[in-house]
Amino acid sequence: MQAGAGSAEKRRRRFAAAGIAPLMLWQFVFFVVPVILLLVISFWRTRNYRMVPDFTFANYIAVFTNGAMWRALLLSVQTAAFVTIACAVLAYPIAYFIAKKAGRLKGLLLIAVIAPFWISIVMRVAAWRLLLGENGVINQSLLSIGLIDQPLGFLLYSPVATSIGLVYAYLPLYVLPLYASIDAIEDNWIAAAKDLNAGPMRAFWEVTFPLSLPGLIVGAVFCFIFGLGEFVTPALLGGGKQLMMSQVIQDQFQRRLDWPAGAAISIVMLVIVFALLAVSMKWFRKASGEKL
Amino acid sequence: MTNTKPPAVEIDAITKSYGETTAIRGVSMDVRDGEFVTILGPSGCGKSTLLRMISGFAEPTTGDVRIGGKSVVGLAPYKRDTAMVFQDYALFPHRTIAENIAFGLRMRKVERAEIARRVDEMLALINLSGYGGRRVSEISGGQAQRVALGRALVVRPSVLLLDEPLGALDMKLRKQMQAELKKIHRELGLTFVAVTHDQEEALTLSDRIAVMNAGSVEQFADPETLYRRPATRFVADFVGGANLIDAEVGPAGALLFRGLPLSGIGSDAVKDRAIGDKVSLVVRPECVATSALGGQAPGPAIEAMVTEVLFSGAVQQIVGRLADGSLFVAHEQGLKPPPERGSTVLFHWDGSLSWLVAR
Amino acid sequence: MSARPRSPQERGGFALLSLYAVLIYLFLYLPIAVIVLFAFDAKPIPGLPLDTLTTGWFVEALRDQKLTGSLLTSLRLAVVSAILSTLLAMPAAMVLAWLPIRFKSLVMAMVLGPVVLPQLVLGLGLVILLRSAPDLVGEPAIILAHTTITSSYATLILYSRFLGFRRSYIEAAMNLGASELVVFREVILPLVRPALISVFMLAFTDAFGEFVVAWFVAGFTETLPITIWTSLRQVISPKVYALSSVIILVTLAISLVSQLWVIRQTRLTSKVQTS
Ligand SMILES: Nc1ncnc2c1ncn2[C@@H]1O[C@H](COP(=O)(O)OP(=O)(O)OP(=O)(O)O)[C@@H](O)[C@H]1O
Ligand SMILES: [Mg+2]
């Protein structure tokens, strides 16, 4: 009798293992192993453009003492933070609008926000070059209506351009979790607050806002993480003067051929990313369907 | 060839644990062929678990389940000759009503023409002729319930299992479906095992009822026995509702309530009990009447302070508080003037209508 | 019930919000409009004012072997990645959603990892890994890299879809005599097909447009994003805008249509009344 119960259980286990094993194996070889390799060589040295196995913290010390690297780290954090805030401010009303006010157009409007996200990043950046350049659409338009008489030079090849590009890239990403958590707020709860004599603003701050917090935080974490590691946008819009972390990493790897140094910066970036994720895990759980 | 058929379902000393928690603790019961058995109990007592072990979605930790005399432990659900009506119906949304009903027949490799014939027959039986081409999203709750029933019945299972089959319906529809379910059971003569937490539904539908509490069966009997002579305190209270007087058996056939003998209890009421046994006296509210203190009651009687009088037309509920703080309820005729709230009165009843259960 | 504006105050708020929404959609679609517009600009260096329009650049783009070659490469590699990641993701997501497994949080971390890992970092890690398998550099490496990313996305999306799938469908089918295989074919597959198709399309689009990781492991292989990247570093030919605008419009159309279709399908199959 016991055997019967055991065999059904065993079969379930075998099903589960068979279903999940291929993906796990794949992710182990092509995700876990590469990260471990990066970690390992971040402790190596470079001599005559070749890697030498070693165990040194020199690469890490360099990240925080070498002025250029430190500045790149700071610029990346600043830019990511700015982009996150800008996206939050821009995304909230639109997510609210779609979730609560769009009526039957809800589905369509949501998809329309997300759709640009699926266009190749390279093409999106190419489009912004057309808009922001000295002879670009924005400068030309401003000139022709006489608002300016010199093209604005800071629009392209500057941190401003990078920020615009990043906001454009991650706005859809931010709307998604925000929409989900605002959509889950039932109209009745807001109505109940108003019924208890809260004005529309008060009802918003007492009910809507706190309940949308998981989405707001999850969106912020994603936005910040992606902004921190983004490469294409700063490389093509940011110009070469002020480098971001990802550009420095790429520079170390491809031009200076100093892989250990590049690996060390990558690991620092990873630590920031994972620390942020660990801190915000609670909110991810709240946002992912754990109903109230 | 024996002339007695084996029981349709035999549950033999089953236990079921999920890690630390034990959902079923030692349940045994037989369901006779063609019988309508209901498993009744409060939420979380293990009703669904028991049903799922019959259908094969859960395996007992120890014990045996036999269907038609053969052990089915370890047998996959699709190899068992049971069919289930799910609480949420689980009608396949990508198929029409007719296709839903045909599903089990297709799985059994029944011929096409035969499938068509039996589906039509079933649609007629569940009063949905002409609805076969509809999608699941295009029918009402009551109709969905009947489709779920039809989908399970059409394969002519040796046991039909129903998990809270009427739970999702409103009161009126529920009553109507109870009648239909009963009728179908009578017409087809199949074995039904249903689960519910609604005692009225269980009493209406079943030939026998198994009352469960915290993983075990407290009593397995026909509705009348369950109502007239519940075996335990829990059953008395859960089925029909009852007044319980916690007492102790005293010397010389007396029943002691807070140390004093209860008046009007005959010595034969306690004849099988030993002195000092802790027991509860059970009496249904509808058997109890009230009268002023000092009057002479014909049978057993107890004093209580009236705390509430609830009038609802034909019947009025008089709620009293006994000396030990427990409540005692009488359902009296609505025309009789009720006692005043706060007054102490005598609650009395016919001695043949009360009995003792162990505590 | 959608909240219809009632008081004048609320009506004003609604108007403001609508206006804001229009501005945001303008912001989102302006760059796309511009790139499509300049694909028709006759000047060799596109810019305002738009005097003469031509469709010539589209023809030029098709004649450019390098451009069309990398387009075909991208299409081919993206299809393979999309198939692979759907095949990896589907059983994994089913297990995660429906079966109790041990070390679930470790498994989830492995799934979530490639999504949050900066793509640059993943690219570099793969470069180091590929030192021990130099033969794979090029097309195989690009497929491996993209599948790693897209299978994670695919698993997460499918997992959340499968969570909402009622387990009683499976049990009902089994109860009526369907074995595991038949349940899969007759019940699970038809019900999750919209989700599978949408995940396949998303994986394809993502792999098609991904640049950073591919760039690191590509060797001499050129995908379309790599070709565009290269041309963006030089003086960019309007041919690139022409090709890009076509691809952008196709991408938008695919994602709009497939997502709308999924919404419709799920609406059709999930609206089961119970009371
Ligand atoms: N898969 C499971 N894992 C762990 N515990 C379970 C599982 N299934 C049931 N239980 C536990 O077993 C007990 C009995 O559950 P069961 O579903 O049989 O109750 P029930 O009588 O059907 O209740 P309800 O009327 O609410 O449906 C409960 O305490 C429940 O928490
Ligand atoms: Mg149950």
Side-chain angles (χ1 to χ4, degrees):
Chain A
M1 290 177 285
Q2 286 269 8
S7 82
E9 187 56 30
K10 232 182 267 167
R11 205 167 59 172
R12 254 171 156 214
R13 286 242 177 84
R14 230 177 295 143
F15 260 115
I20 207 141
L23 181 70
M24 287 300 105
L25 206 67
W26 185 286
Q27 299 296 26
F28 182 77
V29 176
F30 299 113
F31 161 60
V32 177
V33 171
V35 171
I36 292 174
L37 286 176
L38 263 181
L39 185 65
V40 169
I41 71 160
S42 72
F43 295 106
W44 289 9
R45 274 180 305 129
T46 309
R47 195 188 294 148
N48 299 333
Y49 301 111
R50 314 196 74 164
M51 286 191 288
V52 185
D54 196 351
F55 190 77
T56 167
F57 288 94
N59 299 314
Y60 286 99
I61 294 168
V63 175
F64 297 100
T65 52
N66 179 320
M69 283 199 206
W70 180 238
R71 272 197 302 279
L73 183 63
L74 274 185
L75 181 64
S76 282
V77 172
Q78 277 169 0
T79 310
F82 171 77
V83 168
T84 303
I85 294 168
C87 278
V89 171
L90 289 175
Y92 201 102
I94 197 75
Y96 182 82
F97 177 79
I98 297 174
K100 291 292 170 209
K101 304 285 175 191
R104 288 197 300 132
L105 289 178
K106 205 161 149 173
L108 185 67
L109 286 181
L110 184 67
I111 294 168
V113 169
I114 314 295
F117 185 70
W118 294 106
I119 297 169
S120 177
I121 182 80
V122 191
M123 294 180 192
R124 278 182 280 167
V125 170
W128 278 104
R129 290 247 290 226
L130 278 174
L131 279 162
L132 297 175
E134 293 223 342
N135 297 313
V137 175
I138 293 177
N139 269 325
Q140 293 288 332
S141 310
L142 290 178
L143 279 174
S144 70
I145 56 172
L147 263 179
I148 50 171
D149 39 31
Q150 285 276 322
L152 301 172
F154 64 85
L155 275 184
L156 190 58
Y157 302 129
S158 66
V160 177
T162 307
S163 299
I164 295 177
L166 288 176
V167 168
Y168 180 73
Y170 297 135
L171 188 60
L173 197 72
Y174 209 134
V175 172
L176 211 53
L178 254 183
Y179 164 82
S181 56
I182 297 178
D183 191 45
I185 302 171
E186 286 183 24
D187 289 342
N188 279 342
W189 303 342
I190 303 171
K194 287 185 182 160
D195 192 47
L196 297 169
N197 286 342
M201 278 313 274
R202 193 68 199 278
F204 175 83
W205 284 113
E206 297 280 344
V207 181
T208 313
F209 187 74
L211 288 173
S212 64
L213 215 50
L216 202 60
I217 291 173
V218 166
V221 170
F222 268 117
C223 208
F224 188 85
I225 287 175
F226 286 142
L228 201 66
E230 172 69 44
F231 172 72
V232 178
T233 312
L236 288 178
L237 296 180
K241 277 181 252 105
Q242 286 164 286
L243 295 186
M244 282 182 48
M245 235 199 312
S246 52
Q247 290 169 283
V248 173
I249 297 175
Q250 184 257 341
D251 190 55
Q252 295 286 358
F253 259 83
Q254 292 197 326
R255 262 187 11 152
R256 295 172 198 247
L257 296 179
D258 188 352
W259 288 19
I265 316 173
S266 304
I267 296 294
V268 170
M269 196 147 89
L270 271 193
V271 169
I272 300 178
V273 166
F274 284 118
L276 210 61
L277 280 177
V279 169
S280 54
M281 211 56 223
K282 186 180 93 187
W283 294 97
F284 272 84
R285 238 176 256 131
K286 270 196 191 158
S288 68
E290 213 178 78
K291 289 281 176 276
L292 295 148
Chain B
M1 185 88 204
T2 53
N3 53 2
T4 53
K5 272 180 122 178
V9 183
E10 288 167 90
I11 291 169
D12 189 358
I14 274 185
T15 61
K16 173 70 180 175
S17 332
Y18 292 105
E20 296 290 287
T21 58
T22 307
I24 303 285
R25 15 184 132 237
V27 167
S28 295
M29 59 191 264
D30 290 354
V31 179
R32 292 178 209 124
D33 200 49
E35 200 176 20
F36 196 138
V37 164
T38 300
I39 302 167
L40 173 69
S43 185
C45 70
K47 307 180 298 284
S48 297
T49 306
L50 201 58
L51 210 61
R52 293 169 64 81
M53 286 191 287
I54 302 174
S55 59
F57 296 119
E59 295 290 350
T61 309
T62 61
D64 198 9
V65 178
R66 286 184 289 273
I67 296 177
K70 285 200 212 59
S71 172
V72 292
V73 172
L75 204 63
Y78 49 86
K79 292 187 180 144
R80 299 185 186 198
D81 194 14
T82 60
M84 182 133 153
V85 177
F86 288 79
Q87 177 164 12
D88 64 354
Y89 311 144
L91 296 178
F92 304 132
H94 59 302
R95 299 189 179 277
T96 62
I97 303 308
E99 285 167 351
N100 262 284
I101 295 178
F103 190 90
L105 296 174
R106 282 204 297 120
M107 294 303 117
R108 284 161 172 75
K109 307 247 163 19
V110 177
E111 262 179 64
R112 271 224 185 143
E114 171 77 1
I115 291 181
R117 198 183 57 74
R118 276 167 71 178
V119 168
D120 279 343
E121 214 177 82
M122 186 48 69
L123 282 170
L125 182 73
I126 58 177
N127 275 325
L128 284 177
S129 298
Y131 283 75
R134 291 223 191 168
R135 285 195 152 263
V136 172
S137 51
E138 296 164 347
I139 56 174
S140 73
Q143 290 167 336
Q145 205 286 332
R146 278 180 281 166
V147 175
L149 185 64
R151 185 176 69 175
L153 280 174
V154 79
V155 300
R156 295 178 193 147
S158 57
V159 188
L160 182 78
L161 306 170
L162 307 105
D163 191 356
E164 306 255 3
L166 310 179
L169 304 179
D170 62 43
M171 204 54 192
K172 197 166 147 239
L173 215 52
R174 236 177 134 117
K175 290 271 177 277
Q176 196 182 321
M177 281 309 299
Q178 281 174 11
E180 264 182 68
L181 208 56
K182 189 86 190 154
K183 186 179 126 230
I184 288 175
H185 174 249
R186 216 179 306 118
E187 278 174 14
L188 299 183
L190 290 175
T191 312
F192 281 31
V193 179
V195 153
T196 181
H197 60 248
D198 178 348
Q199 46 115 357
E200 205 184 312
E201 188 169 296
L203 292 173
T204 319
L205 289 176
S206 334
D207 297 323
R208 282 195 295 164
I209 300 171
V211 182
M212 282 189 74
N213 182 30
S216 13
V217 172
E218 299 243 344
Q219 190 174 8
F220 185 30
D222 60 278
E224 286 85 0
T225 310
L226 223 48
Y227 185 76
R228 301 215 175 99
R229 282 291 178 267
T232 68
R233 229 183 112 89
F234 174 82
V235 176
D237 198 30
F238 194 76
V239 181
N243 293 308
L244 296 157
I245 303 172
D246 291 337
E248 208 179 297
V249 178
L255 195 58
L256 305 176
F257 174 64
R258 310 188 84 217
L260 298 171
L262 273 169
S263 68
I265 300 286
S267 58
D268 53 332
V270 293
K271 64 177 184 297
D272 300 330
R273 316 256 169 193
I275 292 173
D277 273 1
K278 293 195 182 315
V279 293
S280 294
L281 185 77
V282 182
V283 58
R284 300 279 180 201
E286 50 271 38
C287 308
V288 181
T290 59
S291 61
L293 272 187
Q296 194 54 47
I302 193 164
E303 277 181 22
M305 200 207 12
V306 177
T307 59
E308 206 72 70
V309 177
L310 304 166
F311 179 75
S312 61
V315 178
Q316 55 189 345
Q317 251 190 77
I318 295 148
V319 184
R321 189 181 295 283
L322 298 183
D324 68 351
S326 55
L327 295 182
F328 204 86
V329 182
H331 288 177
E332 288 198 300
Q333 215 202 52
L335 290 172
K336 194 186 151 194
E340 244 177 81
R341 256 179 56 191
S343 64
T344 300
V345 297
L346 214 52
F347 284 72
H348 59 86
W349 59 93
D350 180 343
S352 66
L353 297 177
S354 65
W355 65 95
L356 294 180
V357 295
R359 162 145 72 93
Chain C
M1 182 201 82
S2 109
R4 285 281 136 231
R6 269 158 269 159
S7 68
Q9 190 191 0
E10 283 185 45
R11 209 171 301 145
F14 180 75
L16 254 167
L17 258 181
S18 310
L19 181 68
Y20 176 80
V22 170
L23 288 178
I24 287 288
Y25 282 97
L26 269 181
F27 171 64
L28 286 173
Y29 285 90
L30 180 68
I32 293 165
V34 164
I35 213 170
V36 174
L37 206 59
F38 280 108
F40 293 96
D41 189 0
K43 295 191 290 294
I45 298 171
L48 288 178
L50 279 173
D51 303 323
T52 33
L53 299 180
T54 172
T55 50
W57 299 117
F58 292 91
V59 183
E60 288 279 309
L62 283 183
R63 286 221 192 93
D64 188 330
Q65 304 251 320
K66 203 165 130 80
L67 269 183
T68 51
S70 59
L71 172 64
L72 289 178
T73 308
S74 276
L75 287 174
R76 195 173 61 235
L77 299 185
V79 167
V80 179
S81 286
I83 293 175
L84 276 178
S85 45
T86 310
L87 287 180
L88 286 170
M90 186 177 58
M94 279 164 49
V95 170
L96 281 173
W98 296 334
L99 292 177
I101 54 166
R102 278 179 287 181
F103 309 118
K104 183 159 178 179
S105 39
L106 181 72
V107 170
M108 285 312 267
M110 296 258 285
V111 172
L112 201 64
V115 175
V116 295
L117 190 73
Q119 300 198 330
L120 182 77
V121 176
L122 181 64
L124 296 178
L126 285 170
V127 168
I128 301 170
L129 180 71
L130 285 171
R131 270 165 36 110
S132 54
D135 290 348
L136 292 181
V137 170
E139 297 198 0
I142 296 176
I143 291 175
L144 297 181
H146 284 164
T147 305
T148 306
I149 302 170
T150 49
S151 64
S152 279
Y153 276 109
T155 308
L156 289 176
I157 296 174
L158 286 180
Y159 170 65
S160 69
R161 293 279 173 81
F162 291 172
L163 273 185
F165 188 94
R166 277 196 261 171
R167 204 197 302 224
S168 54
Y169 289 146
I170 301 173
E171 296 192 340
M174 281 205 170
N175 190 256
L176 292 166
S179 66
E180 281 93 349
L181 216 70
V182 178
V183 172
F184 182 77
R185 199 185 61 217
E186 296 263 344
V187 178
I188 297 176
L189 208 55
L191 285 177
V192 303
R193 190 176 292 140
L196 281 182
I197 292 176
S198 81
V199 155
F200 177 89
M201 295 308 298
L202 292 187
F204 172 82
T205 331
D206 197 48
F208 181 83
E210 203 284 331
F211 164 71
V212 180
V213 187
W215 186 46
F216 274 101
V217 299
F220 294 110
T221 307
E222 285 214 6
T223 63
L224 188 63
I226 295 179
T227 307
I228 296 178
W229 161 272
T230 317
S231 70
L232 278 173
R233 312 224 95 188
Q234 303 145 8
V235 176
I236 187 161
S237 157
K239 283 187 285 191
V240 173
Y241 292 127
L243 187 60
S244 298
S245 64
V246 172
I247 286 164
I248 286 175
L249 291 180
V250 171
T251 311
L252 283 180
I254 289 178
S255 65
L256 275 174
V257 169
S258 73
Q259 294 300 307
L260 280 177
W261 181 72
V262 168
I263 291 182
R264 228 181 72 88
Q265 286 291 309
T266 27
R267 207 171 282 159
L268 267 186
T269 54
S270 70
K271 230 195 232 157
V272 184
Q273 298 170 0
T274 44
S275 60

